[in-house]
Amino acid sequence: MATRLGRAARCALALALASVGAGYAGEFDCIIEPSKTVDVRAASEGLIEKIWVDRGDMVKKDQILVTLDSGVERAAAESARYRATMQGKIRTGESRVEFSTTKYKRREQLASQSFISLSDRDEALTEKRLADSELLEAKDERRLAEIEYRRLAEQLRLRTIKSPVDGVVVDRLLNAGELADNRDLRKPILRLADIGTLHVEVLMPIDAFGKLTPGQTVEVLPEAPVGGRYAATVAVIDRVLDAASGTFGVRLALANPGLKLPAGIKCRASFPAIAGRTAAPAASTARPLPKPVPAPSGKPM
């Protein structure tokens, strides 16, 4: 008998502690959203050659998404690359500098011995200086060709569009063969959602303001059929409150390794040490029934 009473007491104590703990962890409605939505457009106008992904595909950062027709740009880059590696003018200039330098040294030696006039020596010096200038000009032209090749290579690189984020393709608005116009902001090629890190938007009552700190850990419970419990951290606490609804916004950052969690679902956020709003019991809000009126006795007054 005593053992049964002890077990009953322990069960009652556990239930009491559970009810107390529940009062210190309030749950609030929230929604899980992508951390960012990116409209993928072409940096330059061009004909779409191929789109490598479709709606619903998972993409990784720097993955190739779209290839534009780049035949003209590829030919221009190849031509610039060849000009940047040409050696003809530089070798010709080096040979001319070598010859003019030797010629000038000989003329200088002959002029010192008065075998030739000073004007002949000056003429050889001028030829040497012109040869030096021509060699320098050839090197400058080669340097400009290298810079032009890099510029055209960058233009060619822009004809291949890569993913800027880890996420999912939300929509595909253009197809291969259509013109990608970088001036038309209303119609991107693809629309991506970054779900590598999710944002959980929560509406909190004003009486909870000041009880949250950035970096605080919060438990997020997605609705069915996803379910489960996930740890998120407080990233943003709004400093402008909504007096009409008596709420303020809080944003949580939720890591999503492997992109397992979807975005756009409802959830509940459990904040420790903050009591949630609970509905009042029905008995307290019900009006008391009127007292019954006694039936007349039937006797004359």
Side-chain angles (χ1 to χ4, degrees):
M1 186 67 179
T3 304
R4 293 181 179 178
L5 290 176
R7 290 179 180 175
R10 285 196 297 270
C11 291
L13 180 59
L15 290 174
L17 291 175
S19 62
V20 172
Y24 283 93
E27 292 186 356
F28 301 90
D29 292 330
C30 59
I31 185 169
I32 300 177
E33 296 180 345
S35 57
K36 66 180 75 169
T37 301
V38 181
D39 288 342
V40 176
R41 295 182 174 87
S44 58
E45 184 178 355
L47 193 68
I48 299 176
E49 185 177 281
K50 187 170 183 179
I51 300 179
W52 298 88
V53 295
D54 205 347
R55 176 181 172 183
D57 290 346
M58 296 291 184
V59 297
K60 296 291 184 181
K61 187 176 182 181
D62 295 330
Q63 177 181 339
I64 295 177
L65 302 178
V66 183
T67 303
L68 302 181
D69 181 68
S70 56
V72 175
E73 289 79 7
R74 190 177 293 107
E78 182 64 22
S79 176
R81 186 194 66 81
Y82 183 77
R83 287 196 303 270
T85 57
M86 290 192 305
Q87 300 286 338
K89 284 189 176 182
I90 293 180
R91 290 184 178 179
T92 300
E94 290 174 347
S95 299
R96 187 169 295 174
V97 167
E98 182 180 357
F99 173 75
S100 61
T101 301
T102 303
K103 181 179 180 180
Y104 169 69
K105 289 181 179 180
R106 290 176 180 175
R107 293 291 178 91
E108 178 69 22
Q109 185 177 4
L110 292 174
S112 64
Q113 298 175 0
S114 300
F115 287 111
I116 61 173
S117 65
L118 295 178
S119 61
D120 291 339
R121 184 202 63 181
D122 294 341
E123 183 180 351
L125 177 60
T126 301
E127 289 180 1
K128 177 183 179 302
R129 289 175 177 174
L130 288 175
D132 290 337
S133 298
E134 289 176 358
L135 177 60
L136 180 61
E137 184 178 356
K139 291 182 177 179
D140 290 341
E141 289 179 357
R142 181 179 174 180
R143 178 62 177 166
L144 287 175
E146 292 174 353
I147 295 173
E148 178 68 10
Y149 168 64
R150 287 205 300 269
R151 184 183 71 84
L152 293 175
E154 285 297 313
Q155 286 186 351
L156 180 61
R157 182 184 63 83
L158 294 177
R159 310 295 287 182
T160 301
I161 304 173
K162 298 182 179 181
S163 174
V165 297
D166 293 337
V168 62
V169 180
V170 177
D171 202 358
R172 172 175 169 174
L173 294 95
L174 295 178
N175 297 299
E178 294 187 272
L179 183 66
D181 189 357
N182 60 335
R183 296 167 297 181
D184 187 3
L185 301 180
R186 298 170 299 175
K187 198 171 184 181
I189 303 175
L190 298 169
R191 181 168 290 121
L192 307 180
D194 183 0
I195 59 174
T197 299
L198 297 170
H199 286 171
V200 182
E201 302 292 344
V202 192
L203 280 180
M204 304 286 294
I206 288 182
D207 55 9
F209 188 78
K211 299 179 182 179
L212 302 176
T213 56
Q216 178 181 346
T217 302
V218 178
E219 195 173 44
V220 177
L221 295 79
E223 67 176 4
V226 177
R229 294 175 177 267
Y230 301 89
T233 55
V234 177
V236 178
I237 302 173
D238 287 350
R239 299 295 173 180
V240 178
L241 312 183
D242 187 358
S245 62
T247 59
F248 67 98
V250 175
R251 173 179 292 173
L252 311 177
L254 175 60
N256 190 18
L259 310 181
K260 296 180 180 179
L261 282 176
I265 58 174
K266 296 180 180 179
C267 60
R268 301 282 292 174
S270 178
F271 289 82
I274 297 179
R277 292 180 175 179
T278 56
S284 61
T285 56
R287 293 182 179 180
L289 295 175
K291 295 181 179 180
V293 179
S297 59
K299 295 181 180 180
M301 296 298 291

Short mmCIF file of all heavy atoms in Angstrom, two decimals, residues 246-273:
data_model
loop_
_atom_site.label_atom_id
_atom_site.label_comp_id
_atom_site.label_asym_id
_atom_site.label_seq_id
_atom_site.Cartn_x
_atom_site.Cartn_y
_atom_site.Cartn_z
N GLY A 246 -0.50 44.85 -31.41
CA GLY A 246 0.18 44.54 -30.17
C GLY A 246 1.26 43.49 -30.34
O GLY A 246 1.47 42.66 -29.45
N THR A 247 1.94 43.52 -31.48
CA THR A 247 2.96 42.52 -31.76
C THR A 247 4.22 43.19 -32.33
O THR A 247 4.21 44.37 -32.69
CB THR A 247 2.46 41.48 -32.78
OG1 THR A 247 2.10 42.16 -34.00
CG2 THR A 247 1.26 40.72 -32.25
N PHE A 248 5.28 42.41 -32.40
CA PHE A 248 6.50 42.83 -33.09
C PHE A 248 7.11 41.59 -33.74
O PHE A 248 6.82 40.46 -33.35
CB PHE A 248 7.49 43.51 -32.13
CG PHE A 248 8.08 42.59 -31.10
CD1 PHE A 248 9.34 42.01 -31.28
CD2 PHE A 248 7.38 42.28 -29.93
CE1 PHE A 248 9.88 41.17 -30.32
CE2 PHE A 248 7.91 41.44 -28.97
CZ PHE A 248 9.17 40.88 -29.17
N GLY A 249 7.93 41.80 -34.75
CA GLY A 249 8.48 40.70 -35.53
C GLY A 249 9.83 40.25 -35.02
O GLY A 249 10.64 41.05 -34.55
N VAL A 250 10.07 38.95 -35.12
CA VAL A 250 11.36 38.35 -34.78
C VAL A 250 11.73 37.40 -35.92
O VAL A 250 10.88 36.63 -36.40
CB VAL A 250 11.30 37.57 -33.44
CG1 VAL A 250 12.62 36.86 -33.17
CG2 VAL A 250 10.95 38.52 -32.30
N ARG A 251 12.98 37.47 -36.34
CA ARG A 251 13.48 36.56 -37.38
C ARG A 251 14.48 35.60 -36.78
O ARG A 251 15.41 36.02 -36.09
CB ARG A 251 14.11 37.33 -38.53
CG ARG A 251 14.79 36.44 -39.57
CD ARG A 251 15.37 37.24 -40.70
NE ARG A 251 14.31 37.85 -41.49
CZ ARG A 251 14.55 38.73 -42.46
NH1 ARG A 251 15.79 39.11 -42.74
NH2 ARG A 251 13.53 39.24 -43.15
N LEU A 252 14.29 34.32 -37.07
CA LEU A 252 15.21 33.28 -36.63
C LEU A 252 15.98 32.75 -37.83
O LEU A 252 15.44 32.67 -38.94
CB LEU A 252 14.45 32.12 -35.96
CG LEU A 252 13.41 32.49 -34.90
CD1 LEU A 252 12.72 31.23 -34.40
CD2 LEU A 252 14.06 33.24 -33.74
N ALA A 253 17.23 32.40 -37.61
CA ALA A 253 18.05 31.77 -38.64
C ALA A 253 18.11 30.27 -38.37
O ALA A 253 18.53 29.85 -37.29
CB ALA A 253 19.44 32.38 -38.66
N LEU A 254 17.69 29.49 -39.35
CA LEU A 254 17.63 28.04 -39.21
C LEU A 254 18.51 27.39 -40.26
O LEU A 254 18.26 27.53 -41.47
CB LEU A 254 16.18 27.55 -39.36
CG LEU A 254 15.94 26.04 -39.34
CD1 LEU A 254 16.41 25.43 -38.03
CD2 LEU A 254 14.46 25.74 -39.57
N ALA A 255 19.58 26.73 -39.83
CA ALA A 255 20.47 26.03 -40.77
C ALA A 255 19.74 24.86 -41.40
O ALA A 255 18.96 24.17 -40.74
CB ALA A 255 21.73 25.56 -40.05
N ASN A 256 20.01 24.65 -42.69
CA ASN A 256 19.33 23.59 -43.42
C ASN A 256 20.34 22.75 -44.20
O ASN A 256 20.40 22.80 -45.43
CB ASN A 256 18.29 24.20 -44.37
CG ASN A 256 17.39 23.17 -45.00
OD1 ASN A 256 17.27 22.04 -44.52
ND2 ASN A 256 16.73 23.54 -46.08
N PRO A 257 21.18 21.98 -43.51
CA PRO A 257 22.18 21.17 -44.21
C PRO A 257 21.51 20.10 -45.07
O PRO A 257 20.56 19.45 -44.66
CB PRO A 257 22.98 20.54 -43.06
CG PRO A 257 22.07 20.58 -41.88
CD PRO A 257 21.22 21.78 -42.05
N GLY A 258 22.03 19.96 -46.27
CA GLY A 258 21.45 18.99 -47.19
C GLY A 258 20.15 19.44 -47.83
O GLY A 258 19.55 18.69 -48.59
N LEU A 259 19.71 20.66 -47.53
CA LEU A 259 18.46 21.22 -48.09
C LEU A 259 17.27 20.28 -47.86
O LEU A 259 16.40 20.10 -48.72
CB LEU A 259 18.62 21.50 -49.59
CG LEU A 259 19.86 22.30 -50.01
CD1 LEU A 259 19.86 22.51 -51.52
CD2 LEU A 259 19.95 23.62 -49.29
N LYS A 260 17.22 19.70 -46.66
CA LYS A 260 16.16 18.73 -46.36
C LYS A 260 14.84 19.40 -46.02
O LYS A 260 13.78 18.88 -46.35
CB LYS A 260 16.61 17.83 -45.20
CG LYS A 260 17.82 16.96 -45.51
CD LYS A 260 18.21 16.10 -44.32
CE LYS A 260 19.40 15.23 -44.64
NZ LYS A 260 19.81 14.40 -43.48
N LEU A 261 14.90 20.57 -45.36
CA LEU A 261 13.67 21.24 -44.97
C LEU A 261 13.15 22.10 -46.12
O LEU A 261 13.92 22.85 -46.73
CB LEU A 261 13.91 22.12 -43.74
CG LEU A 261 13.98 21.43 -42.39
CD1 LEU A 261 14.33 22.44 -41.31
CD2 LEU A 261 12.66 20.76 -42.06
N PRO A 262 11.86 22.03 -46.43
CA PRO A 262 11.31 22.93 -47.45
C PRO A 262 10.99 24.29 -46.85
O PRO A 262 10.93 24.46 -45.63
CB PRO A 262 10.03 22.20 -47.88
CG PRO A 262 9.60 21.47 -46.64
CD PRO A 262 10.87 21.07 -45.92
N ALA A 263 10.79 25.26 -47.71
CA ALA A 263 10.39 26.60 -47.27
C ALA A 263 8.91 26.81 -47.61
O ALA A 263 8.33 26.09 -48.42
CB ALA A 263 11.24 27.66 -47.94
N GLY A 264 8.32 27.82 -46.95
CA GLY A 264 6.92 28.13 -47.21
C GLY A 264 5.94 27.31 -46.40
O GLY A 264 4.79 27.13 -46.81
N ILE A 265 6.36 26.80 -45.24
CA ILE A 265 5.46 26.02 -44.39
C ILE A 265 5.29 26.72 -43.06
O ILE A 265 6.15 27.48 -42.60
CB ILE A 265 5.99 24.59 -44.17
CG1 ILE A 265 7.38 24.63 -43.52
CG2 ILE A 265 6.04 23.82 -45.47
CD1 ILE A 265 7.91 23.26 -43.14
N LYS A 266 4.15 26.45 -42.41
CA LYS A 266 3.88 27.03 -41.11
C LYS A 266 4.61 26.23 -40.03
O LYS A 266 4.99 25.08 -40.23
CB LYS A 266 2.39 27.04 -40.83
CG LYS A 266 1.59 27.94 -41.77
CD LYS A 266 0.11 27.90 -41.44
CE LYS A 266 -0.69 28.78 -42.38
NZ LYS A 266 -2.14 28.74 -42.07
N CYS A 267 4.77 26.86 -38.88
CA CYS A 267 5.48 26.19 -37.80
C CYS A 267 5.08 26.84 -36.47
O CYS A 267 4.30 27.79 -36.44
CB CYS A 267 7.00 26.28 -38.00
SG CYS A 267 7.63 27.98 -38.07
N ARG A 268 5.65 26.30 -35.41
CA ARG A 268 5.52 26.86 -34.06
C ARG A 268 6.92 27.06 -33.52
O ARG A 268 7.78 26.19 -33.65
CB ARG A 268 4.74 25.94 -33.15
CG ARG A 268 3.32 25.62 -33.62
CD ARG A 268 2.36 26.74 -33.34
NE ARG A 268 2.12 26.90 -31.90
CZ ARG A 268 1.40 27.88 -31.37
NH1 ARG A 268 0.85 28.79 -32.17
NH2 ARG A 268 1.21 27.97 -30.08
N ALA A 269 7.16 28.22 -32.92
CA ALA A 269 8.46 28.53 -32.32
C ALA A 269 8.31 28.52 -30.81
O ALA A 269 7.46 29.22 -30.25
CB ALA A 269 8.97 29.88 -32.80
N SER A 270 9.13 27.72 -30.14
CA SER A 270 9.06 27.58 -28.68
C SER A 270 10.17 28.41 -28.06
O SER A 270 11.37 28.12 -28.25
CB SER A 270 9.22 26.10 -28.29
OG SER A 270 9.21 25.96 -26.89
N PHE A 271 9.78 29.45 -27.32
CA PHE A 271 10.73 30.35 -26.67
C PHE A 271 10.80 30.01 -25.19
O PHE A 271 9.78 30.06 -24.49
CB PHE A 271 10.30 31.81 -26.84
CG PHE A 271 10.46 32.33 -28.24
CD1 PHE A 271 9.50 32.06 -29.20
CD2 PHE A 271 11.57 33.07 -28.59
CE1 PHE A 271 9.64 32.52 -30.49
CE2 PHE A 271 11.72 33.55 -29.88
CZ PHE A 271 10.75 33.28 -30.83
N PRO A 272 11.97 29.68 -24.68
CA PRO A 272 12.08 29.39 -23.25
C PRO A 272 11.88 30.65 -22.42
O PRO A 272 12.25 31.75 -22.82
CB PRO A 272 13.50 28.84 -23.12
CG PRO A 272 14.25 29.41 -24.28
CD PRO A 272 13.26 29.53 -25.39
N ALA A 273 11.29 30.48 -21.25
CA ALA A 273 11.09 31.56 -20.27
C ALA A 273 10.16 32.64 -20.77
O ALA A 273 10.14 33.75 -20.22
CB ALA A 273 12.42 32.17 -19.84
#
